Amino acid sequence: MSAEAPKPARPCDYCGHSTAVLYCRADSAKLCFSCDREVHSTNQLFSKHTRTLLCDACDDSPATILCSTDTSVLCQNCDWEKHNPALSDSLHQRRPLEGFTGCPSVSELLSVVGFGDLSKKSLLSSPQGSAADGFLGCEIEGLSDFFVWDAPSVVTLDDLICSSASSHSFQAMEVPPLPKNRKAACGRHREEILSQLRELAKSEPLDLEQYVQPGNLSSAFERDVEVDIYPYHEWHRERSEPMYQVVPPDPSLRTCTEEVPVKQSTSVGETHTFGDKGGNPSISLNSETLPTTPKAGACELTSQERDSALLRYKQKKKTRRYDKHIRYESRKVRAESRVRVKGRFAKMEREH
DNA sequence: ACTATGTTTTGTGGTCAGGTCTACG
DNA sequence: CCGTAGACCTGACCACAAAACATAG
């Protein structure tokens, strides 16, 4: 116990020892980058969760505003408190922040958090801390130019904003008009963010970059969804690790589920449903959309992997919150004052 | 690149209908 | 085990301001 590292100020809800930098609304969970990838790469449904940076002020809510003046990211409440029109701070330069979904690679994450000038290679090659320094205004351009193929401009936030018909692997959510200067979007924990991304980059082979290479990008996004949505699948495949893990036919789990998958290798179109009878939403995995490995039985899971998957599933279920989230308070106020007929909105009587 | 204008889409809450669950005889 | 009543749960519905988006100048 004495060797234990001191607990971070805002610990990751999943691992508990890393500093949480992201917030997943769907799970109401604070996560570090590593756990975020682990949790949200489990299956396609989880990958759809929108994640945003964690508020620098309260450390408890998803950040929606970037204050360029303070270089901090804030949730709506903290932004309102800090930048109240009555205060002088209201003159601060602020802009909305975007979230992301899917399983972005490190390069893509760099762009998402505002390190657009920083390539993954430069992140890896730079000594500890220098990457952050580069972000803070030092010479990064040279590195970026050297690794042209890795230029983060290939995957910018513009690229993340896509229509529902798009097959991008991730997308920005609740996106206001994009500002020109998207740097410095990671607030006061940029050192921690860079540190975590660096660790993530170390474990992520550079081959993955093919998904964000200039030459491959446009065509890649036009290819099949199976490949495009989850570049991270490929990474797992490379590492002989299953990208998705089906909740195993564990007898203990079966008692609280309506349908439990019996087979691990699935046929096309087969749907697995996980859930309980307590009103909690069930999770369906349609194997048609799940990736498969060429080798028969290659995606069969060991009992250890099944236990791991089950544990992750239970953890997510435990931390998930189902309370309603109001995105626009003004609409709520409006709706509450609307004229109703049997609960339905009624037309307003207009005087002429 | 920016602004103005027009069009389309989204989100909001109270009530109800219909389905599901539970307890009981 | 079956049928029934009541409790409980869930999704649809509505109008319209605000947000998002598209287009023109």
Side-chain angles (χ1 to χ4, degrees):
Chain A
M1 286 292 284
S2 56
E4 268 189 19
K7 208 171 180 180
R10 45 185 209 182
C12 170
D13 285 343
Y14 193 71
C15 66
H17 56 75
S18 294
T19 298
V21 292
L22 296 173
Y23 187 91
C24 173
R25 290 176 187 267
D27 297 331
S28 296
K30 294 174 276 186
L31 300 167
C32 61
F33 273 112
S34 174
C35 292
D36 173 70
R37 169 169 285 187
E38 185 178 345
V39 168
H40 292 105
S41 63
T42 306
N43 64 45
Q44 225 171 352
L45 281 176
F46 294 164
S47 77
K48 289 179 179 174
H49 291 177
T50 304
R51 285 96 75 196
T52 55
L53 290 171
L54 203 49
C55 174
D56 282 339
C58 65
D59 292 339
D60 206 42
S61 299
T64 56
I65 302 291
L66 166 71
C67 175
S68 305
T69 310
D70 283 347
T71 323
S72 59
V73 293
L74 302 169
C75 65
Q76 282 184 335
N77 285 342
C78 294
D79 174 61
W80 172 253
E81 285 178 16
K82 187 167 179 55
H83 301 114
N84 190 302
L87 304 173
S88 58
D89 285 356
S90 64
L91 298 174
H92 284 190
Q93 278 203 331
R94 294 136 64 214
R95 67 167 176 83
L97 271 180
E98 304 88 10
F100 68 92
T101 63
C103 299
S105 67
V106 170
S107 296
E108 294 161 345
L109 283 171
L110 283 168
S111 291
V112 169
V113 298
F115 296 110
D117 289 346
L118 187 59
S119 72
K120 184 180 142 187
K121 280 190 175 180
S122 58
L123 179 71
L124 280 170
S125 60
S126 62
Q128 296 287 325
S130 65
D133 293 340
F135 158 74
L136 291 173
C138 294
E139 296 290 326
I140 281 296
E141 289 79 4
L143 282 171
S144 295
D145 289 342
F146 185 74
F147 300 112
V148 171
W149 60 273
D150 198 27
S153 60
V154 170
V155 180
T156 66
L157 282 170
D158 280 331
D159 297 316
L160 308 189
I161 301 167
C162 53
S163 68
S164 58
S166 170
S167 59
H168 289 58
S169 61
F170 53 90
Q171 60 194 37
M173 304 291 289
E174 304 170 19
V175 187
L178 284 168
K180 286 176 183 175
N181 177 16
R182 298 174 201 157
K183 297 180 182 181
C186 56
R188 293 176 179 173
H189 290 77
R190 54 183 174 274
E191 300 286 347
E192 178 64 30
I193 288 172
L194 271 170
S195 169
Q196 290 189 14
L197 285 177
R198 191 179 297 114
E199 290 303 312
L200 210 57
K202 285 177 185 171
S203 60
E204 181 179 285
L206 286 173
D207 291 350
L208 182 65
E209 297 298 327
Q210 64 179 299
Y211 291 99
V212 291
Q213 281 181 51
N216 290 354
L217 194 69
S218 58
S219 58
F221 279 168
E222 289 160 7
R223 289 203 310 272
D224 291 341
V225 172
E226 236 175 78
V227 177
D228 298 333
I229 287 186
Y230 294 108
Y232 192 52
H233 284 165
E234 299 299 317
W235 177 61
H236 275 265
R237 204 173 294 170
E238 288 278 328
R239 293 161 56 100
S240 303
E241 290 175 17
M243 175 53 208
Y244 71 97
Q245 295 184 335
V246 178
V247 176
D250 183 348
S252 63
L253 181 64
R254 189 171 299 184
T255 58
C256 63
T257 58
E258 290 188 350
E259 292 176 47
V260 175
V262 178
K263 287 187 250 174
Q264 290 165 7
S265 57
T266 60
S267 60
V268 170
E270 185 177 349
T271 299
H272 300 297
T273 302
F274 313 110
D276 61 26
K277 295 189 175 184
N280 292 328
S282 59
I283 301 163
S284 293
L285 298 178
N286 189 329
S287 59
E288 192 172 19
T289 58
L290 292 175
T292 55
T293 53
K295 288 182 184 176
C299 66
E300 287 196 5
L301 308 175
T302 67
S303 73
Q304 195 175 5
E305 288 165 343
R306 285 199 300 271
D307 287 346
S308 169
L310 180 59
L311 189 66
R312 286 206 299 272
Y313 166 68
K314 286 180 175 176
Q315 282 278 356
K316 278 180 70 71
K317 195 175 147 189
K318 200 167 127 186
T319 57
R320 186 170 295 183
R321 206 169 55 193
Y322 299 103
D323 53 349
K324 192 172 180 179
H325 171 70
I326 302 297
R327 294 177 64 188
Y328 301 104
E329 194 68 29
S330 59
R331 291 184 178 184
K332 173 182 162 72
V333 172
R334 171 72 186 161
E336 284 172 340
S337 63
R338 294 286 293 275
V339 179
R340 294 167 187 274
V341 175
K342 291 188 175 182
R344 298 180 179 184
F345 296 127
K347 283 190 177 179
M348 297 272 284
E349 298 271 346
R350 295 180 190 274
E351 291 182 12
H352 292 286

